[in-house]
Amino acid sequence: MTCHTNADLQKIVNEAALHTVYGEVAGYIPALAEVNRHDLSAAVYNIKEKSCIYAGDYQNKFTLQSISKVLVLALAIQDMGSEYVFGKVGMEPTGDPFNSISKLETSIPSKPLNPMINAGALAVTNMIKGESSDEKWHRIIEFVGRLVNDKNVSCNEIVAKSEFETSWLNRALCYFMKQHGVINGDVEELIDIYTRQCAIEMNCFDLARAGAVLALDGKDPETYEEVIPSDIARVCKTLMVTCGMYNASGEFAIKVGIPAKSGVSGGILAVVPNKCGIGIFGPSLDKRGNSIAGVKVLEMLSNRNDYSIF
Amino acid sequence: MTCHTNADLQKIVNEAALHTVYGEVAGYIPALAEVNRHDLSAAVYNIKEKSCIYAGDYQNKFTLQSISKVLVLALAIQDMGSEYVFGKVGMEPTGDPFNSISKLETSIPSKPLNPMINAGALAVTNMIKGESSDEKWHRIIEFVGRLVNDKNVSCNEIVAKSEFETSWLNRALCYFMKQHGVINGDVEELIDIYTRQCAIEMNCFDLARAGAVLALDGKDPETYEEVIPSDIARVCKTLMVTCGMYNASGEFAIKVGIPAKSGVSGGILAVVPNKCGIGIFGPSLDKRGNSIAGVKVLEMLSNRNDYSIF
Amino acid sequence: MTCHTNADLQKIVNEAALHTVYGEVAGYIPALAEVNRHDLSAAVYNIKEKSCIYAGDYQNKFTLQSISKVLVLALAIQDMGSEYVFGKVGMEPTGDPFNSISKLETSIPSKPLNPMINAGALAVTNMIKGESSDEKWHRIIEFVGRLVNDKNVSCNEIVAKSEFETSWLNRALCYFMKQHGVINGDVEELIDIYTRQCAIEMNCFDLARAGAVLALDGKDPETYEEVIPSDIARVCKTLMVTCGMYNASGEFAIKVGIPAKSGVSGGILAVVPNKCGIGIFGPSLDKRGNSIAGVKVLEMLSNRNDYSIF
Amino acid sequence: MTCHTNADLQKIVNEAALHTVYGEVAGYIPALAEVNRHDLSAAVYNIKEKSCIYAGDYQNKFTLQSISKVLVLALAIQDMGSEYVFGKVGMEPTGDPFNSISKLETSIPSKPLNPMINAGALAVTNMIKGESSDEKWHRIIEFVGRLVNDKNVSCNEIVAKSEFETSWLNRALCYFMKQHGVINGDVEELIDIYTRQCAIEMNCFDLARAGAVLALDGKDPETYEEVIPSDIARVCKTLMVTCGMYNASGEFAIKVGIPAKSGVSGGILAVVPNKCGIGIFGPSLDKRGNSIAGVKVLEMLSNRNDYSIF
């Protein structure tokens, strides 16, 4: 039984939603903790038909959080080139938690292992071009706007402010990297941009559309214009497979087998090359920080439609 | 310019062979150190045409070393089931070296991160069914024989003996895992089987044929009989992508983008799903322990024939 | 109120014995687990008066376990010289557990941090001179006999055998060190000697007498003959302060302030320079592996008699 | 040959000064790098005679750097009590470098191992009482003034400013500890006070006098008034033995055997209980960050005058 209609997808969502009770909503900032743990919405943008199927309360908005890491990476490589970016940040998956600082200390020279852990993502945001902090931020939000075809995509200022005020660990990572020459400039400004990029808000439909761009190797699924050069889109998808789902990336690759990036808000951006982009929102998280029901939706979708790239 | 003929492949091999001077032959056992650093041979088994192209001195034999990890994993999952195997050994890539013991200590409960690092591979070999050490070993060699369609595939006893006598680190890993209940039974027997599996000998043609089985999701490329159940073949390919090339797996995924597993003998087994199996032998190694020229061959092949799965 | 008589010491022991309920007996081998958790005995050998006070069931025998580390170290330095010993094993305290293997891996070159952790102690035992395993062992037991003035001091064969059969972690440490050239020779033979030295059996009176030798900078408290050269005795006492009480050495130095070495059997060997040797047996252990009531006895003794060296 | 006169000490200093060529001056801030590598001065304050011998250019001033850690600890325990201080910061020596952040991450709950490493010292300074940052700082400088009997002891503002502007690693440690509730309040203010305490300036004579206070268990060597309660003085001396000389504390305890605390400026504060306080300045550092010639001076002094406490 493949999934092709809203009704098909709704059935999957209904079944997956039974798992929300086994997870927890991220509680470290009030704005994230206020959501309904049982929410689950999903959208699939099919690039062939240029149309989207969806299920659940698909208009629910959520912040990107770590999902922003892969989008900003795409912009940073465009800005600085692959060699520069990966001269500062590695390409290797890690068995350590996303916010670990130990590995920065034990690896010589100090270099975040990849752009999907916090240290690497902060270093990547630090590379975004712009004369001022403001310009850098506007280039990020504008780029995300192009991916979702919504010039009005916005940042949830309450979430951004709340995270800015409590990002002690990210500041620790930044100062450690500043010591070792991985990042430069003012740490507070970097934390400001980074917390804003994490607080960019959209619904699962928007996210599916961003995924469709990656599914098309960087081309806009409606106009076929290049939004991201194809080699960069491919780099992003590869890193999504090897490190996109935190410390469960390996297991996700085995069980689902498609490029995906999750965030602690409960969002997941997933990509089936040449087929579709997928956006999920389910704020109940498993122990690794991935949407517990969202992973189930992707597992069922992948099995039914034979989406695995392996 | 795609690569379809022996001549095409020979050109690629010639170009890649220029890189052998930048690597080193593994010198930790005499038998491995005696090879010619500049050797480079490659074979591609196309599953559609059921035929093989090759280049270099393709009859050169080499021992599988770490390549055996992925093959024995396929047998272990058949023997014990996926749940049992991955209850003892994780599925996650790691930023640590393949022979690291620290992670075993810091992870609670102690569990090798994946079956492609030494600790995980030793635990996997420990799961192979058999009444005796001898029976276990014969089941392994017979299984490998089926993959390469060569019932006479053999073990290089000199290499096996030499490694057995110097495997102090692997013994350390085994005793550590025995302490934590990850493995059971006699360590010396396990080291004996493990060093034999690492010393299984073949040429790049045989290796390409084993790759073809994985490319066909576990089916024999000539008879289409199932040699490995398709879901297990998929698990193997996924782990080859996330952890098959030691600490360069992430970079290899980005630059080449196909499932591959390397060994310190200089062999690489690579798989292009539904297209071909590839076998390489180039004993000059880069700093991560992968065949320096072999990686170049795969990079060129992938770029020219658009093999990346991402 | 100072402590000078059996009655004084008995009062202290009675008070300290109230703490046995908060600890646990080491349960990893049956022979150790069979003791009475509430046992507590102590002996103080005063070198001025050449006499001993004692309290509790002072004839209770126990195995030395880690206490043997400091005694065998004294012999090894005599055998090989300070430079050789500390060329293989460091002098620095560590924040890691006594049986940790990670630090061996992360320190370059691989070198156990000190002779009081298992790795270091195994390397030290590996240095003991002797043509055969048997001769090495006899030199150890004879040396310990001289310290306690008991040529009949013996090894508890049941405990030794039991530990030999389950020392997986120590074997892991040995093989790791063999890989890195820290130890040489046969690992099974080393484990055999090491488990025997750990199983040397005595009572708290004997232990106090061994302490008296160290208190006298190596001289026999009765004959004043040199048993250990004074500079080596000093090295032993120093290492007892910085690393003698497992991961509680720093806290013990602050609260008690005298050289001491504990074992998981519940024994503690303590030394008050130029004053006395102390032997304790109390098998109920705190979380760090030190005799919970034994530490209390030493704390009270030190406070009352102003024993701290600081 | 014991050392009792200026001439005796000068001979020792002359001999030790030959080792300055084997070390390096700390170069991480310009103000520290400008000193003469071959400088070496020493002063010994004998508490019995209330007099001081000295050698070298004893009026040379230097900043305390890490030596301040032990002095501020004495104040913090007076302010908050031993239980509070050691509830936040451990008492255990560590095999890790003084500026390591890994251990903070791997220890649960996160707690600096001791007050002599940077993380612990920052947490201790964070405990100093005061309504404002200014008041805290004045209480520190005033306390140090009492120890050296110099109300005009001052902070080298150039060094303080220079360190404040480059303390990225210390900021990383602070933010990490703020995340885990080890410290509270504003990180920039804490770094400001901490860099000032490190920049307190004095000569070796002043330092010897501060040592004399500790040698007398906290009493002023001239007036015998209590400057530090005796139990707190003892805690300080104990921590100087177990962790005062960075990663060479264990070796220093064996070779010299007296409480000492060094700083990267090349200063060493040493204490011989009930005998004398010692101040050294020799900016040429060994690989562990201790004054290379200063350690030699202490080794010779200890051997000749039998100063070891072991």
Side-chain angles (χ1 to χ4, degrees):
Chain A
M1 193 194 77
T2 57
C3 169
H4 292 299
T5 65
N6 285 351
D8 293 344
L9 187 59
Q10 189 66 52
K11 266 187 202 161
I12 286 176
V13 163
N14 290 347
E15 198 179 328
L18 300 171
H19 292 85
T20 60
V21 294
Y22 303 116
E24 299 284 345
V25 159
Y28 68 96
I29 61 163
L32 287 182
E34 273 164 14
V35 296
N36 179 356
R37 181 160 73 125
H38 302 297
D39 274 350
L40 184 63
S41 53
V44 180
Y45 189 109
N46 281 294
I47 60 179
K48 212 186 213 162
E49 299 135 30
K50 294 187 188 182
S51 74
C52 204
I53 60 172
Y54 45 82
D57 191 355
Y58 66 92
Q59 286 182 313
N60 254 340
K61 282 191 170 187
F62 53 92
T63 55
L64 288 181
Q65 300 302 335
S66 288
I67 300 172
S68 70
K69 289 169 178 170
V70 71
L71 308 183
V72 175
L73 173 65
L75 181 57
I77 304 180
Q78 290 175 71
D79 277 7
M80 305 300 293
S82 187
E83 206 169 331
Y84 181 88
V85 171
F86 293 111
K88 296 274 188 186
V89 178
M91 301 174 174
E92 296 308 314
T94 164
D96 298 304
F98 70 98
N99 55 9
S100 175
I101 201 165
S102 302
K103 211 49 154 243
L104 280 180
E105 185 165 88
T106 52
S107 59
I108 297 167
S110 189
K111 187 176 171 177
L113 274 168
N114 67 63
M116 298 298 120
I117 55 173
N118 283 17
L122 285 158
V124 164
T125 297
N126 187 239
M127 295 172 196
I128 296 298
K129 280 190 177 164
E131 290 297 306
S132 65
S133 179
D134 227 49
E135 188 185 338
K136 290 174 191 177
W137 161 242
H138 278 105
R139 294 193 59 243
I140 290 172
I141 189 81
E142 193 187 10
F143 177 68
V144 174
R146 286 186 68 193
L147 292 172
V148 303
N149 195 24
D150 175 3
K151 286 181 184 161
N152 299 317
V153 70
S154 65
C155 161
N156 182 324
E157 295 290 345
I158 293 165
V159 170
K161 188 159 176 287
S162 181
E163 294 205 26
F164 181 83
E165 283 165 1
T166 55
S167 284
W168 312 124
L169 203 48
N170 281 343
R171 281 176 174 87
L173 290 168
C174 284
Y175 280 113
F176 194 91
M177 291 192 285
K178 194 170 169 70
Q179 171 76 23
H180 290 89
V182 180
I183 68 167
N184 51 51
D186 187 75
V187 168
E188 291 301 310
E189 276 184 20
L190 174 55
I191 294 289
D192 180 45
I193 302 179
Y194 185 75
T195 48
R196 279 160 176 275
Q197 90 178 40
C198 287
I200 292 173
E201 214 172 30
M202 57 180 65
N203 60 32
C204 64
F205 180 88
D206 299 323
L207 202 53
R209 201 196 178 279
V213 175
L214 288 167
L216 269 170
D217 267 353
K219 288 197 286 291
D220 186 288
E222 284 153 72
T223 65
Y224 296 117
E225 277 176 52
E226 182 184 284
V227 188
I228 304 169
S230 64
D231 56 332
I232 298 177
R234 199 167 266 193
V235 166
C236 292
K237 280 182 282 184
T238 309
L239 285 163
M240 288 164 83
V241 166
T242 54
C243 3
M245 298 298 278
Y246 302 117
N247 270 357
S249 300
E251 187 177 343
F252 185 87
I254 285 174
K255 294 193 174 158
V256 184
I258 59 175
K261 180 75 205 86
S262 61
V264 288
S265 53
I268 305 178
L269 163 69
V271 177
V272 186
N274 302 314
K275 289 188 183 150
C276 58
I278 304 171
I280 311 256
F281 172 59
S284 185
L285 305 181
D286 62 25
K287 281 174 189 168
R288 316 294 186 91
N290 296 315
S291 171
I292 197 165
V295 168
K296 285 286 165 195
V297 170
L298 290 169
E299 204 174 327
M300 286 187 271
L301 263 178
S302 178
N303 287 339
R304 293 186 192 181
N305 289 2
D306 197 22
Y307 278 163
S308 172
I309 63 172
F310 297 104
Chain B
M1 195 194 77
T2 57
C3 168
H4 291 302
T5 65
N6 285 350
D8 294 344
L9 188 57
Q10 188 66 53
K11 266 187 204 162
I12 287 176
V13 163
N14 291 346
E15 198 180 328
L18 301 173
H19 292 84
T20 58
V21 294
Y22 303 117
E24 298 284 345
V25 160
Y28 69 96
I29 60 163
L32 287 183
E34 274 163 13
V35 297
N36 178 355
R37 183 161 71 125
H38 302 298
D39 274 350
L40 183 63
S41 52
V44 180
Y45 188 110
N46 280 294
I47 59 179
K48 213 185 212 164
E49 300 136 30
K50 296 185 187 182
S51 73
C52 204
I53 59 171
Y54 44 83
D57 190 356
Y58 66 91
Q59 285 181 312
N60 254 341
K61 282 192 169 189
F62 52 92
T63 55
L64 286 180
Q65 301 301 334
S66 288
I67 298 172
S68 70
K69 290 169 177 170
V70 72
L71 307 183
V72 176
L73 172 67
L75 181 59
I77 304 180
Q78 289 175 73
D79 276 7
M80 305 301 292
S82 186
E83 208 169 328
Y84 181 86
V85 172
F86 293 110
K88 295 274 187 185
V89 178
M91 301 173 175
E92 296 308 315
T94 166
D96 297 306
F98 70 96
N99 56 9
S100 174
I101 200 164
S102 301
K103 209 52 153 243
L104 280 180
E105 183 164 271
T106 52
S107 59
I108 297 168
S110 188
K111 188 176 171 176
L113 275 169
N114 67 62
M116 299 296 121
I117 55 173
N118 283 16
L122 286 158
V124 164
T125 297
N126 188 240
M127 296 172 194
I128 296 299
K129 279 190 177 164
E131 290 299 306
S132 65
S133 180
D134 226 48
E135 188 185 338
K136 289 174 192 178
W137 162 243
H138 279 106
R139 294 193 60 246
I140 289 172
I141 189 80
E142 192 187 11
F143 177 68
V144 174
R146 285 188 68 193
L147 292 173
V148 302
N149 195 25
D150 176 3
K151 286 181 183 161
N152 300 316
V153 71
S154 64
C155 162
N156 183 324
E157 295 291 345
I158 294 165
V159 170
K161 189 161 177 284
S162 181
E163 295 204 28
F164 181 81
E165 283 164 0
T166 54
S167 284
W168 314 123
L169 203 48
N170 282 344
R171 280 176 175 88
L173 291 166
C174 283
Y175 280 113
F176 195 92
M177 291 192 287
K178 193 169 169 71
Q179 170 77 21
H180 289 90
V182 179
I183 69 167
N184 52 51
D186 187 75
V187 168
E188 291 301 310
E189 276 184 21
L190 175 53
I191 294 288
D192 180 45
I193 302 179
Y194 185 74
T195 48
R196 280 160 175 276
Q197 90 178 40
C198 287
I200 292 173
E201 213 172 29
M202 57 180 66
N203 60 32
C204 63
F205 179 90
D206 298 324
L207 201 54
R209 201 195 179 279
V213 176
L214 288 168
L216 268 169
D217 268 353
K219 287 198 287 289
D220 186 288
E222 284 153 71
T223 65
Y224 296 116
E225 276 176 53
E226 182 184 284
V227 187
I228 305 169
S230 63
D231 55 331
I232 297 177
R234 200 167 265 192
V235 166
C236 293
K237 281 182 281 184
T238 309
L239 284 163
M240 288 165 83
V241 166
T242 55
C243 0
M245 299 296 280
Y246 302 117
N247 271 358
S249 300
E251 186 176 343
F252 185 86
I254 285 175
K255 293 195 173 156
V256 183
I258 58 175
K261 182 74 205 84
S262 60
V264 288
S265 52
I268 306 178
L269 163 69
V271 177
V272 186
N274 304 312
K275 289 190 183 148
C276 57
I278 304 171
I280 311 256
F281 172 58
S284 183
L285 306 180
D286 62 25
K287 281 175 188 168
R288 316 294 187 90
N290 296 315
S291 170
I292 196 164
V295 168
K296 285 287 162 194
V297 169
L298 290 169
E299 204 175 328
M300 287 187 270
L301 264 177
S302 178
N303 287 339
R304 293 188 190 178
N305 289 2
D306 197 22
Y307 279 161
S308 171
I309 63 173
F310 297 103
Chain C
M1 193 194 75
T2 57
C3 170
H4 292 300
T5 66
N6 284 350
D8 293 345
L9 188 58
Q10 188 66 52
K11 266 188 204 161
I12 285 176
V13 162
N14 291 346
E15 199 180 327
L18 300 173
H19 292 84
T20 58
V21 295
Y22 303 116
E24 297 285 346
V25 160
Y28 69 98
I29 60 164
L32 288 182
E34 272 163 15
V35 298
N36 179 355
R37 180 161 74 124
H38 302 298
D39 275 350
L40 185 62
S41 53
V44 180
Y45 189 109
N46 280 295
I47 59 178
K48 214 187 212 162
E49 299 137 31
K50 296 185 187 180
S51 73
C52 201
I53 60 173
Y54 45 82
D57 191 355
Y58 66 92
Q59 286 182 313
N60 253 340
K61 283 191 169 187
F62 53 92
T63 54
L64 287 180
Q65 300 301 335
S66 288
I67 300 172
S68 70
K69 288 170 178 170
V70 72
L71 308 182
V72 176
L73 173 66
L75 181 59
I77 304 180
Q78 290 175 72
D79 277 6
M80 304 301 292
S82 187
E83 206 169 330
Y84 181 87
V85 172
F86 293 112
K88 295 274 189 186
V89 178
M91 302 174 172
E92 297 307 315
T94 163
D96 297 305
F98 70 97
N99 55 10
S100 174
I101 200 165
S102 302
K103 209 54 152 241
L104 281 180
E105 184 165 87
T106 53
S107 58
I108 298 167
S110 189
K111 187 176 171 176
L113 274 168
N114 67 62
M116 299 296 122
I117 54 173
N118 284 16
L122 287 159
V124 164
T125 297
N126 187 240
M127 296 173 196
I128 296 298
K129 279 188 178 166
E131 290 298 305
S132 65
S133 180
D134 227 48
E135 187 185 338
K136 289 174 192 179
W137 161 243
H138 280 106
R139 293 192 60 244
I140 290 173
I141 189 82
E142 193 187 10
F143 176 68
V144 174
R146 286 186 68 193
L147 291 173
V148 303
N149 196 23
D150 176 2
K151 287 181 182 160
N152 301 316
V153 70
S154 64
C155 161
N156 182 323
E157 296 290 345
I158 294 163
V159 171
K161 189 162 176 286
S162 181
E163 294 204 28
F164 181 82
E165 283 165 359
T166 56
S167 285
W168 313 123
L169 204 47
N170 283 343
R171 280 177 175 86
L173 290 168
C174 285
Y175 280 113
F176 195 92
M177 291 192 286
K178 194 169 169 70
Q179 170 78 22
H180 289 88
V182 179
I183 68 168
N184 51 50
D186 187 74
V187 168
E188 290 302 308
E189 277 184 20
L190 174 54
I191 294 288
D192 181 45
I193 302 178
Y194 184 75
T195 48
R196 280 160 175 275
Q197 88 180 41
C198 287
I200 292 173
E201 213 173 26
M202 57 180 65
N203 61 33
C204 64
F205 178 90
D206 299 322
L207 202 53
R209 200 193 179 283
V213 175
L214 288 168
L216 269 170
D217 267 354
K219 288 198 285 291
D220 185 289
E222 284 152 71
T223 63
Y224 295 118
E225 276 176 51
E226 182 184 283
V227 188
I228 305 170
S230 63
D231 56 331
I232 297 177
R234 200 165 266 191
V235 166
C236 291
K237 282 182 281 184
T238 309
L239 285 164
M240 289 164 84
V241 166
T242 53
C243 1
M245 300 295 280
Y246 300 117
N247 271 357
S249 300
E251 186 176 343
F252 185 86
I254 285 174
K255 293 194 174 157
V256 184
I258 59 176
K261 182 73 206 85
S262 61
V264 289
S265 52
I268 305 179
L269 162 69
V271 177
V272 186
N274 304 313
K275 290 190 182 146
C276 58
I278 304 171
I280 311 255
F281 172 57
S284 184
L285 305 181
D286 62 23
K287 281 174 188 169
R288 316 294 186 92
N290 297 314
S291 171
I292 195 164
V295 168
K296 285 286 164 195
V297 169
L298 290 170
E299 202 174 330
M300 286 188 269
L301 263 177
S302 178
N303 287 339
R304 292 187 192 179
N305 290 2
D306 198 21
Y307 278 162
S308 172
I309 63 173
F310 296 103
Chain D
M1 193 194 74
T2 58
C3 167
H4 291 301
T5 65
N6 285 352
D8 294 344
L9 188 59
Q10 188 67 52
K11 267 188 202 160
I12 286 175
V13 163
N14 290 347
E15 198 180 327
L18 300 173
H19 292 84
T20 58
V21 294
Y22 303 116
E24 297 285 345
V25 160
Y28 68 97
I29 60 163
L32 287 183
E34 273 163 14
V35 297
N36 178 354
R37 182 162 72 126
H38 302 297
D39 275 349
L40 184 63
S41 53
V44 181
Y45 188 111
N46 280 295
I47 60 180
K48 214 184 209 164
E49 299 137 29
K50 295 186 188 180
S51 73
C52 203
I53 60 171
Y54 45 81
D57 190 355
Y58 67 91
Q59 285 181 314
N60 254 340
K61 283 192 168 187
F62 53 92
T63 54
L64 287 180
Q65 300 301 335
S66 287
I67 300 172
S68 70
K69 289 170 178 170
V70 73
L71 307 181
V72 175
L73 173 66
L75 182 58
I77 304 180
Q78 289 175 72
D79 276 7
M80 304 302 291
S82 185
E83 208 169 329
Y84 181 87
V85 171
F86 292 111
K88 295 274 188 186
V89 178
M91 302 174 174
E92 296 309 315
T94 165
D96 297 305
F98 70 97
N99 54 10
S100 173
I101 201 164
S102 302
K103 208 58 155 230
L104 281 179
E105 184 164 272
T106 52
S107 59
I108 296 167
S110 189
K111 189 176 170 176
L113 274 169
N114 67 63
M116 299 296 121
I117 54 173
N118 283 17
L122 286 158
V124 164
T125 297
N126 188 240
M127 296 172 194
I128 296 298
K129 278 189 178 166
E131 290 298 305
S132 65
S133 179
D134 227 47
E135 188 185 337
K136 290 174 192 178
W137 161 242
H138 280 105
R139 293 193 61 245
I140 288 172
I141 189 81
E142 194 187 9
F143 176 68
V144 174
R146 285 187 68 192
L147 292 173
V148 302
N149 195 25
D150 176 2
K151 286 180 184 161
N152 299 318
V153 70
S154 64
C155 161
N156 182 323
E157 295 291 344
I158 293 165
V159 170
K161 189 160 176 286
S162 181
E163 294 204 27
F164 181 83
E165 283 164 0
T166 56
S167 284
W168 313 123
L169 203 47
N170 282 343
R171 280 176 175 88
L173 290 167
C174 285
Y175 280 112
F176 195 90
M177 292 193 284
K178 193 170 170 71
Q179 170 77 21
H180 289 90
V182 179
I183 68 166
N184 52 51
D186 187 75
V187 167
E188 291 300 310
E189 277 183 20
L190 174 54
I191 294 288
D192 181 45
I193 302 179
Y194 184 75
T195 48
R196 279 160 175 276
Q197 89 179 39
C198 288
I200 292 174
E201 214 173 28
M202 56 180 66
N203 60 33
C204 64
F205 179 89
D206 298 324
L207 201 54
R209 200 195 178 282
V213 176
L214 288 167
L216 269 170
D217 267 354
K219 288 197 285 291
D220 186 288
E222 282 153 71
T223 65
Y224 295 118
E225 276 177 53
E226 182 183 285
V227 188
I228 305 170
S230 64
D231 56 331
I232 297 177
R234 201 165 265 192
V235 167
C236 292
K237 281 181 285 186
T238 310
L239 285 164
M240 288 164 84
V241 167
T242 53
C243 3
M245 299 297 279
Y246 302 116
N247 270 358
S249 300
E251 186 177 343
F252 185 86
I254 285 175
K255 293 194 174 158
V256 184
I258 59 175
K261 181 74 205 86
S262 61
V264 288
S265 53
I268 306 178
L269 163 70
V271 176
V272 186
N274 303 312
K275 290 190 183 148
C276 58
I278 304 171
I280 311 258
F281 172 58
S284 184
L285 306 180
D286 62 23
K287 280 175 189 168
R288 316 295 187 90
N290 296 313
S291 170
I292 196 164
V295 168
K296 285 287 163 194
V297 169
L298 290 169
E299 204 174 328
M300 286 188 269
L301 262 177
S302 178
N303 286 339
R304 292 185 191 181
N305 290 3
D306 197 22
Y307 278 162
S308 171
I309 64 173
F310 296 103

